[in-house]
Amino acid sequence: MRRLAGLVGGACMLLAMLAAPAAAQQTDWQLPIETRRLDNGLTVVVSQDRSSPTVGVSVVYHVGMRLEPEDRTGFAHLFEHLMFQGTPTAPKGVFDRVIQGGGGRLNGSTRPDYTNYIETAPVSALAPILWLEADRMKTLDFSPQNLKNQQDVVKEEIRVNVQNQPYGLFFVFDINRLAFDKWANAHDGYGSFEDLEGATLADVEAFHRDYYGPNNAVIGIVGDIAPDEAFAMVEAYFGDIPARPTPARPDVSEPLNTEGRREAQADALAQVPALAVGWKMPPRGHADHAPMAVLAQLLAGGDASRLYQGLVKGREQLLNIDGGLGWPLGHAWDYDGPTLMTLFALYKPDVAPDAVLGAIDEEIARIVAEGVPAQTLAAAKTKLLADYVDGLEPFISRADELAKAQLLWGDAKTLNAVPGWVRAVTVADVQRVARTYLTDGNRTVIDRVPAALAPARGIAPPAAPAPVAPAQD
């Protein structure tokens, strides 16, 4: 998966809002947001910001790993790669040269519930960007060469990031496989080699037809441009693309688990053991959503968190700990189906995994029984909001978050509502969600140990890692 990257836009307005007195924040934290829907169903969200002569653009499609075909694991990610292989009008390489040649940047990523394509550049490049995005929304260069090339590239990604990497993203795909029951939520979104190799041009053409129409997309535009001007440009380039039927979204909902799930794995490349712990979370927009985001910050939000201070510093059981709500494939506000709060920690070889789990349980039980001091809750909420606003600072990221909010929540102005939801969370709310969701019955655990420790723990030895072969262009 490509990593999101972006050119920082001058979003001083956002930082000033964050620094405003608490009372003023209740009403002053507002991004200017205007939304329009074209006749073909394409939704456009624009936020004007004149602080920099640049623009950020995001085109987000409502399809990701969760909706790929059952016998085509990894297909949504493979298709993301194919979107960069050119069209009959703009052959391979044109997209990159046009944007990067003018000082811009571009990228894309595949997540459970969406696939996004993002760019940032001087505002003078907005027209070429929109033309290029409209061109690949219409059609792609559906060639056997492009498909074979990107099948090889994605398989190489899997070799590098999974098969030949310590821990191999087990805290992403393995934890989902174990925690969830429905295939849509549980399968490996990176994909199996067999499924990737089985993808055909007919599959590619059907996926583009079914999921990449304008009525299944949102465009976010942020920067030095008036909304009416941006809307007119989008209409000019996208307005004549016809809407296409989109398959009905399946029911991917799942209840909380009522019996804990656990697995042990051996790792030929790891030097120290690791734990992945996941709990099923409330649905997006549920009354427990914001309290759970705050609780995740309290427990795992950096060096000041309860688990870092309690298990890394205090008990000295862990070497590090990371995690959060929706982590690491997203964040607390950008999911549209079942998700986890996930923890990933490296622990010391002389520490038993049950001791680590017991210590985590103790920290959770303390919150349930005692709550948290008011100043601790306030500090956690401040850090959560500071990170939230910081993530909106670059124009490219702000455009992406606006488009995702419109796509997933049905309203881009959700971005303006999140700070109020966070500020409203009380100690009692935090205690309630800890008691409800962070239970043994709702918990999934994977213990990943170095191969040398596996026999003593009764764990089967790991398979030999696949050799790394150079990616083909």
Side-chain angles (χ1 to χ4, degrees):
M1 268 156 279
R2 295 167 178 239
R3 293 174 59 86
L4 293 178
L7 178 69
V8 174
C12 300
M13 169 188 67
L14 293 176
L15 298 179
M17 289 175 179
L18 182 67
Q25 288 185 27
Q26 300 292 329
T27 56
D28 291 348
W29 204 101
Q30 293 289 310
L31 287 172
I33 298 171
E34 294 195 33
T35 305
R36 286 189 191 171
R37 188 172 183 270
L38 275 56
D39 290 343
N40 60 10
L42 177 66
T43 304
V44 189
V45 183
V46 180
S47 183
Q48 178 179 308
D49 187 332
R50 300 291 193 183
S51 61
S52 170
T54 58
V55 67
V57 178
S58 174
V59 183
V60 184
Y61 293 89
H62 203 179
V63 63
M65 301 171 187
R66 211 187 301 269
L67 297 187
E68 61 195 8
E70 285 204 26
D71 58 348
R72 291 289 181 263
T73 59
F75 192 86
H77 175 223
L78 172 64
F79 192 88
E80 174 217 323
H81 279 249
L82 290 167
M83 283 283 281
F84 290 90
Q85 300 308 298
T87 73
T89 307
K92 181 178 178 179
V94 170
F95 202 105
D96 290 7
R97 287 197 300 273
V98 168
I99 296 173
Q100 295 174 334
R105 299 182 185 177
L106 69 155
N107 218 320
S109 70
T110 309
R111 308 293 170 163
D113 297 301
Y114 60 85
T115 308
N116 57 343
Y117 302 91
I118 57 175
E119 299 90 25
T120 189
V123 70
S124 58
L126 180 58
I129 288 173
L130 294 177
W131 184 91
L132 287 164
E133 287 289 8
D135 182 53
R136 65 179 177 178
M137 181 182 284
K138 294 173 185 175
T139 190
L140 296 177
D141 181 0
F142 298 117
S143 71
Q145 294 81 7
N146 282 340
L147 176 57
K148 178 62 167 64
N149 174 276
Q150 293 311 303
Q151 286 169 323
D152 290 340
V153 169
V154 171
K155 287 191 293 183
E156 177 66 6
E157 272 195 50
I158 295 171
R159 290 188 185 99
V160 172
N161 295 333
V162 179
Q163 295 177 346
N164 292 281
Q165 189 70 231
Y167 312 111
L169 297 178
F170 84 99
F171 51 88
V172 182
F173 298 116
D174 287 5
I175 198 79
N176 283 347
R177 169 183 52 76
L178 193 57
F180 294 116
D181 295 317
K182 290 187 176 179
W183 185 90
N185 308 315
H187 75 277
D188 182 348
Y190 236 150
S192 72
F193 279 22
E194 181 181 2
D195 283 354
L196 289 167
E197 290 166 352
T200 67
L201 283 179
D203 295 330
V204 174
E205 292 177 3
F207 199 79
H208 187 274
R209 178 198 66 221
D210 292 345
Y211 293 107
Y212 274 69
N215 46 305
N216 201 43
V218 174
I219 296 181
I221 300 174
V222 172
D224 188 18
I225 188 167
D228 285 346
E229 184 180 358
F231 292 138
M233 293 175 71
V234 173
E235 177 68 47
Y237 293 113
F238 291 84
D240 63 348
I241 303 176
R244 304 197 286 266
T246 301
R249 181 178 172 85
D251 178 12
V252 299
S253 62
E254 294 191 23
L256 301 183
N257 293 338
T258 57
E259 185 174 347
R261 305 179 183 191
R262 188 161 175 174
E263 183 173 291
Q265 302 175 350
D267 191 319
L269 301 175
Q271 298 299 308
V272 296
L275 278 174
V277 184
W279 296 268
K280 283 185 175 178
M281 290 288 98
R284 175 186 53 75
H286 189 278
D288 290 340
H289 185 171
M292 198 61 239
V294 173
L295 177 57
Q297 178 69 37
L298 282 163
L299 286 172
D303 292 357
S305 67
R306 285 290 184 92
L307 295 180
Y308 185 90
Q309 289 297 317
L311 279 70
V312 178
K313 290 291 190 180
R315 297 173 181 83
E316 297 185 349
Q317 296 172 322
L318 305 183
L319 300 174
N320 64 3
I321 189 165
D322 206 345
L325 172 53
W327 180 91
L329 288 184
H331 56 67
W333 315 105
D334 70 347
Y335 62 93
D336 196 27
T339 195
L340 302 176
M341 174 181 165
T342 305
L343 303 176
F344 170 63
L346 304 181
Y347 67 95
K348 296 183 178 180
D350 61 348
V351 173
D354 283 342
V356 176
L357 296 173
I360 293 172
D361 287 343
E362 286 179 19
E363 296 296 339
I364 295 169
R366 281 180 54 209
I367 291 176
V368 171
E370 305 169 11
V372 294
Q375 64 268 31
T376 301
L377 179 63
K381 292 196 284 188
T382 297
K383 181 62 166 65
L384 183 61
L385 289 178
D387 290 344
Y388 177 76
V389 172
D390 186 60
L392 293 173
E393 182 177 355
F395 286 178
I396 191 171
S397 300
R398 204 182 314 168
D400 194 43
E401 294 300 332
L402 283 167
K404 290 189 296 184
Q406 181 67 41
L407 188 88
L408 302 177
W409 293 80
D411 187 357
K413 292 181 180 178
T414 298
L415 294 191
N416 285 334
V418 167
W421 298 344
V422 171
R423 287 192 298 265
V425 172
T426 66
V427 173
D429 291 332
V430 170
Q431 290 175 289
R432 181 186 73 252
V433 295
R435 185 185 309 113
T436 302
Y437 299 95
L438 304 190
T439 66
D440 288 348
N442 191 41
R443 185 178 69 185
T444 299
V445 178
I446 299 178
D447 185 23
R448 182 105 163 190
V449 304
L453 296 179
R457 299 196 184 184
I459 301 172
V468 176
Q472 301 178 26
D473 293 325

